[in-house]
Amino acid sequence: MRSLYTLILNVFQLGIFFLSFLIPRKRGVWVFGAWEGKKFADNPRSLYEHVAANEVDLTPIWIAKSKHLCAELKRQGVRVYYYLSLKGLWYQLRADVVFFSHSHSVDLLGGAVWRSKCRYQLWHGTPLKKILKDDAAHVSKESRVYRRAASFVFPWLKNQWDFVSSPSDFYSKIIASAFGSTPVVSGYPRNDAILPVAYKGGVCKVTNIMYMPTFRGDAGASNESNGLMQEVLTLAGFDVARLDDACEAMGVELHIRLHPVNKLNASLSREIQLSRHLHIQDGSVDFYRAINDVDLLISDYSSVIFDFLLTGRPVIMAAFDLASYIEKSRALYFSYEGMTLTRDVLCWDDVMSHVSSFISAGFSSEYAERYKALRDLTNKYGPGGASARIVTELRSIGF
């Protein structure tokens, strides 16, 4: 049924695509979308808000694929239109520049924006795991006959962009390879609101801990991916009662936020809900709106690690399933052991031992040195200014 709907939508877009040759783009109309049109979040949101607040000669438009989201954003004062509404179609057809977090064909109506003068890929994170043209599974999928035929008939299905945001010079080489587009070293707009900390006496204040693992298996939601995530937790000794007691002893709260494609099973979810100090976050709130409230991050292969380094707060890199992850999910761009901040974290007892150490003693000199080196390698700029840099760059070339 979904495949039939997709086919019908693409046939409709074909008409919109031909119409786009007749409708001129309007300078200053900048259109934004994110997360399959279902969220007002991430880099596009931060850049949209900057443009709306500071660039009076530009017309920023948010496009949503959810009528519920449209209604909510209108109440907030966002200039938003449903992607298939007359005004939504009109602004997408008139857009001079379009911005998105995943692709123009999933975040916006591809057939309407394909011929925009500038398609700007803001993406949604600094890749540790291989993506797009560097990911063998993705290349294999894109090379299938039906996929190549579909991209020929419906050209907006091609992953082609004019610019891609890059967080550092080091990562620009990776981004150029993965995206096949020109990287712009701007940093990420979503990090503009980060407020870095400087600990007095080196001791870390830790109250709220966030655990944010990346997905396993395919990027899409699936029982297989959920099963692999559950397996990781089980093998690493994720014992709710034991962790609850440890949090109680240290005076901390542990928040669990899985990747949007993953869910915990009902039994574990219920156990966490009944605990005193463990909490599940459903992802309805943009993490980057609350990043300054997180005192310590636990993650594995997620790009959030590199963003969080800008806060100056402790990061525990917990790759419980490194060999299995590389075999079953994704290859990595470089040696995890060579760049990790916390070596030999094999289970949740190891994690909580690190938490205790940060609370009592702060950063060791070795950890602080590795932290700074990794932060500088993956972020050319400190927090703030990314949105302004992107706008300045685009204005300098005539947009």
Side-chain angles (χ1 to χ4, degrees), residues 332-389:
L332 304 182
Y333 277 109
F334 32 73
S335 165
Y336 194 91
E337 295 91 340
M339 51 77 73
T340 187
L341 297 174
T342 46
R343 299 185 177 96
D344 300 321
V345 177
L346 304 177
C347 63
W348 276 91
D349 281 349
D350 294 337
V351 169
M352 299 313 284
S353 176
H354 275 286
V355 172
S356 178
S357 178
F358 283 125
I359 292 173
S360 62
F363 289 13
S364 68
S365 57
E366 181 188 3
Y367 181 88
E369 184 178 334
R370 292 202 305 272
Y371 191 105
K372 182 180 184 302
L374 186 59
R375 182 188 62 208
D376 293 348
L377 183 72
T378 56
N379 294 281
K380 180 175 182 177
Y381 301 102
S387 295
R389 284 189 287 271

Side-chain angles (χ1 to χ4, degrees), residues 9-10 12-14 16-18 20 25 63 65 83-84 89 92-93 98 100 103-116 119 154-158:
L9 182 60
N10 277 323
F12 168 74
Q13 289 186 79
L14 196 58
I16 297 295
F17 174 67
F18 288 127
S20 71
R25 302 290 163 169
I63 296 296
K65 293 188 175 182
Y83 79 124
L84 294 178
L89 290 170
Q92 288 176 93
L93 285 166
V98 293
F100 37 87
S103 84
H104 50 271
S105 62
V106 300
D107 299 340
L108 302 163
L109 190 68
V113 302
W114 174 250
R115 296 189 64 254
S116 297
R119 295 160 297 182
F154 310 122
W156 55 86
L157 296 179
K158 298 174 185 175

Side-chain angles (χ1 to χ4, degrees), residues 6 31 34 40 43 97 106 135 151 204 244 326 366 385:
T6 301
V31 164
F40 183 52
N43 291 311
V97 185
V106 300
D135 175 27
S151 296
C204 303
D244 202 23
I326 293 173
E366 181 188 3

